[in-house]
Amino acid sequence: MGRIIGVANQKGGVGKTTTAINLAASFAVLEFKTLLIDADPQANSTTGVGFDLQNITHGLYDCMVNDTEAKDVVLKTDIPNLDLIPSHIDLVGAEIEMINYPNRERVLKQLIEPLREEYDFIVIDCSPSLGLITVNAVTAADSVIVPVQCEFFALEGLGKLLNTIKIVQSRLNTSLVIEGILMTMYDGRLRLCNQVVSEVRRHFEDLVFNTIIHRNSRLSEAPSFGKPVILYDANCKGAMNYLNLAKEILQKNNMTKIPQEERTMEL
């Protein structure tokens, strides 16, 4: 039964798509079968794993509005164990078209439920808004990762997002938990970054991941080559950070695998 993780923050530019792409790729590299769902009309996750939007004929929009089955739009990426349900600018119109749907908040949940058996992880990249698509993603998810940029306005809007998550927890998805708050774009040379991290940890304590994503040029360059950073430069700090995040989530959920060598030694 795959674990569904939404990556959400209505504030733009916090590293949400970067986190979705690179966390999904890290799970895949660690040999967990992973599906990345691009639920953002900007479709940055789709291009970020190497697809040209002009060649995308079917995507999440078709599933949510035209009753296409999710398995029929799944694409294989260049990374073993990593698949994608792509997005397209059409997704902008989905919220309006779904407005009169019965159970409109659960459309995505019903779509991806049949895929749970096929994947260890399903990672959903949400759009930078608190609209119907994001509510669908959070309703479908088992847990939510909230990326927060290490800057002065970090806590602005975070309360609103957490409030939305509480509403979803009480009305639509009682089993939803916050996987963690992830500090992104950290620069250890700046006093402000350190202050923001301290402030967020003070406010949210155990909800904050131990792993921090550092500001890293290779991490910024990778999407323009259509690659997760672990394919672009596996030894850079950004790749290591996301690999550590994946391992932290695995440990937290008691899902760590025994390496092959250790298994052989035990036998």
Side-chain angles (χ1 to χ4, degrees):
M1 192 72 140
R3 184 170 182 78
I4 303 172
I5 301 175
V7 183
N9 192 333
Q10 82 277 16
K11 198 170 185 292
V14 297
K16 179 180 53 59
T17 297
T18 302
T19 296
I21 291 172
N22 291 298
L23 176 61
S26 296
F27 283 141
V29 166
L30 293 168
E31 298 182 357
F32 288 90
K33 196 152 173 35
T34 306
L35 175 67
L36 174 61
I37 298 178
D38 192 348
D40 184 349
Q42 295 174 76
N44 291 335
S45 278
T46 302
T47 55
V49 292
F51 291 96
D52 184 341
L53 292 183
Q54 293 186 333
N55 298 330
I56 300 292
T57 51
H58 294 92
L60 188 61
Y61 171 84
D62 299 278
C63 298
M64 297 189 85
V65 175
N66 297 330
D67 297 327
T68 304
E69 284 194 43
K71 65 179 173 58
D72 295 334
V73 301
V74 171
L75 301 173
K76 296 263 174 218
T77 72
D78 289 339
I79 301 178
N81 298 319
L82 181 61
D83 293 346
L84 170 78
I85 290 182
S87 182
H88 195 271
I89 191 66
D90 290 352
L91 197 59
V92 167
E95 299 207 356
I96 297 161
E97 295 183 56
M98 287 164 57
I99 206 79
N100 293 319
Y101 278 24
N103 279 332
R104 61 188 181 192
E105 297 90 356
R106 293 189 170 88
V107 174
L108 186 58
K109 184 181 177 68
Q110 289 161 0
L111 271 174
I112 60 180
E113 207 60 37
L115 296 175
R116 265 188 187 254
E117 298 300 328
E118 296 178 39
Y119 295 96
D120 298 306
F121 285 100
I122 297 175
V123 178
I124 308 173
D125 179 21
C126 301
S127 59
S129 74
L130 291 179
L132 186 54
I133 303 284
T134 300
V135 170
N136 259 268
V138 177
T139 303
D142 296 310
S143 62
V144 183
I145 291 174
V146 183
V148 174
Q149 192 175 350
C150 295
E151 59 159 39
F152 182 69
F153 294 114
L155 295 171
E156 192 182 86
L158 191 53
K160 198 179 284 186
L161 176 65
L162 295 177
N163 199 38
T164 301
I165 290 170
K166 271 185 192 161
I167 292 167
V168 171
Q169 282 171 325
S170 63
R171 299 182 192 170
L172 298 165
N173 184 358
T174 50
S175 58
L176 179 70
V177 295
I178 295 172
E179 192 75 49
I181 294 169
L182 177 68
M183 304 306 300
T184 63
M185 303 181 198
Y186 173 79
D187 186 338
R189 298 167 300 178
L190 302 178
R191 185 189 296 172
L192 177 63
C193 280
N194 292 304
Q195 286 174 339
V196 170
V197 171
S198 299
E199 186 74 2
V200 172
R201 285 200 195 283
R202 190 170 64 80
H203 267 82
F204 298 104
E205 299 171 344
D206 293 344
L207 278 183
V208 186
F209 284 112
N210 293 323
T211 304
I212 292 177
I213 309 301
H214 291 70
R215 205 177 272 281
N216 179 250
S217 59
R218 307 300 273 172
L219 194 54
S220 307
E221 290 164 13
S224 63
F225 291 87
K227 292 180 178 181
V229 70
I230 205 153
L231 271 196
Y232 181 61
D233 184 351
N235 296 314
C236 74
K237 194 153 204 159
M240 297 297 181
N241 288 163
Y242 277 109
L243 212 46
N244 287 337
L245 175 64
K247 288 174 181 174
E248 187 174 343
I249 291 168
L250 290 169
Q251 284 173 344
K252 189 176 175 184
N253 293 291
N254 298 316
M255 290 178 70
T256 44
K257 287 182 177 178
I258 303 170
Q260 190 63 47
E261 317 85 75
E262 286 182 32
R263 228 174 295 158
T264 314
M265 282 168 65
E266 281 176 15
L267 295 171

